Amino acid sequence: MTEPIRVFIVDDHDLFRAGVRNELGSAIEVIGEASEVEAAIELIAERSPDVVLLDVHMPGGGGKAVLERTKDANPGVAFLALSASDAAEDVVAIIRAGARGYVTKTIAPHELVAAIERVHGGDAVFSPRLAGFVLDAFSHIAIADIDPELDLLTDRERDVLRHIARGYTYKETGEQLFISVKTVESHMSSVLRKLQLSNRHELTKWATDRKLI
Amino acid sequence: MASLEPTLRRIIVGYRAIAMLWLLSLALVALTSTPRATYPVVIVAAVALAAAWTALTLWISFRRPGLFRSWAFLGLDTLVSALILVSPNVAESPNFVGGYPLSSVLIGVLGKGLPGATAPVLVLVSLVLIQIGMGDRPGDPTVLSSNVLVYPFMAAPVIWAVGALRRSDRMRISAELNLEEERADRIRAEERSELAAHLHDSVLQTLALIQRSSTDPEEVVALARGQERDLRAWLYGSPLDGESFESTMIASAAEVEDAYKVRVELVTVGDAPLNDGLRSLISAVREAMVNAAKHSGASEISVFAEVANDRVLVFVRDRGSGFDQNNVPADRKGVSESIKGRMSRHGGTFVIQSDPGLGTEVRLTMHL
């Protein structure tokens, strides 16, 4: 049997942390938790978990502050954002800060475990809503100054995103498109990279309007 | 309303400029009259000093008005006035009643109020008394006494007037601040009571209902979901203003959630104004959601709608029981045929894909 994935939980709601700890099965080992930004930064550096479950909304800067202050010093840690809100500005801000995925807190336990395994494996995790938002943001072709490497989605990436937005899992998406799960994963990683690096107006305006960047 | 201090500053510095002209005309008279003035060079020097100092005062009043409040400046100002007072042309003009030196008293009021005026008054009065005692100031007693009394007598009403103006100005400012604070308090209180009213009408009601129906998990989930939707729309705003495809889809999904106690995960990309084709598309989508809710047994339905270029695509998907498409009961076949007919009349399509045990997906398209 392989080593369990070592997970660190950052959330200011005690009940939620307790709930997640109970839901995660044997494949996951919770090695610590924090309820505030400063403590989280310290403990993540100390224990270097595989995956950090990160609440988006917390006093003192939220999950984004934790990400920005731990990411560079801990390159081996993957961050999965969890939030009650799936407002577009929250989703985009945390993904662009470096989270490898985003799921809402209503996610079913087995799906949360799958999401943790996926970000640990270096892949991206998109909720249907995030997939829909990315399709929306990339759908208007800019007139000038576009970097086709970063600012445009390929047809295949669009197909994959549409299936995710329709509620398909990666496996189901692969079956529908006659490609392997690995290929679906690499398409989604590429979409994640574009989402994080593109300077497209549609992607930055949410964050800058609300002074998140 | 203009503030008081700049106005006072303009009046008092303006007085100094007038006093300067007064001094200049006195000097011209002294220089041109017979007998000739005893020390013409001293007269010219005194007038030049006064002119330079007046120019400096004007510059300060525009650029560094704060300097008027420093004792160092007020001391220098009084010194200049004292030099002018003891210069021969003033001593030789017994009818001159200290027009320029008086401006130092007024500048003192401007900068430091009563103490700022008292200091130059004492200095100037003492100087004139010394001059009289030394016999430097010839003239009859009436003129001499007016030369002494001009400073305190002119200063007193100015001190009173400026003091009264400043007090009423302070009262006006604090009244305005109070009013503003009151207004802000009232707005805060209104926002608070609006928030409280909203939470009471929605969240507290729902929590009460949840406690009463705690034995019925489906009901609890439906209540929580409906409340979540409501709170989200209230917090983040929803595109429910105006008749658009997206807003109608959101409303339609919410209706199905409420009526059938399922969770509808709706994702929309793009939006378009409603037309007949989109209305029939949405009613077909609603039919598909209701079918999934009633027959699939799944607790969640995924709906994805994309408005792109000239067409709208909608997918309604559940992971429920599914069914054999070759073996559909006649009554349900009729329903699906009628939806298909309505869609195709507007140029749309309607395809069902179902696998027993895996779930069902309905794919709908409509041209814009």
Side-chain angles (χ1 to χ4, degrees), chain B residues 190-202 204 234:
Chain B
E190 276 167 12
E191 277 172 355
R192 207 184 142 75
S193 73
E194 192 193 324
L195 179 68
H198 181 90
L199 290 180
H200 183 266
D201 290 348
S202 57
L204 288 183
W234 194 67

Side-chain angles (χ1 to χ4, degrees), chain A residues 181-198:
Chain A
V181 176
K182 269 280 145 229
T183 312
V184 173
E185 285 170 347
S186 78
H187 282 311
M188 291 308 287
S189 293
S190 155
V191 170
L192 180 81
R193 194 177 67 88
K194 290 177 181 179
L195 183 56
Q196 285 173 340
L197 299 180
S198 169

Side-chain angles (χ1 to χ4, degrees), chain B residues 159-173:
Chain B
I159 292 170
W160 277 327
V162 168
L165 282 172
R166 282 179 170 159
R167 270 192 300 282
S168 83
D169 197 50
R170 271 198 299 274
M171 278 163 64
R172 176 181 65 84
I173 288 171

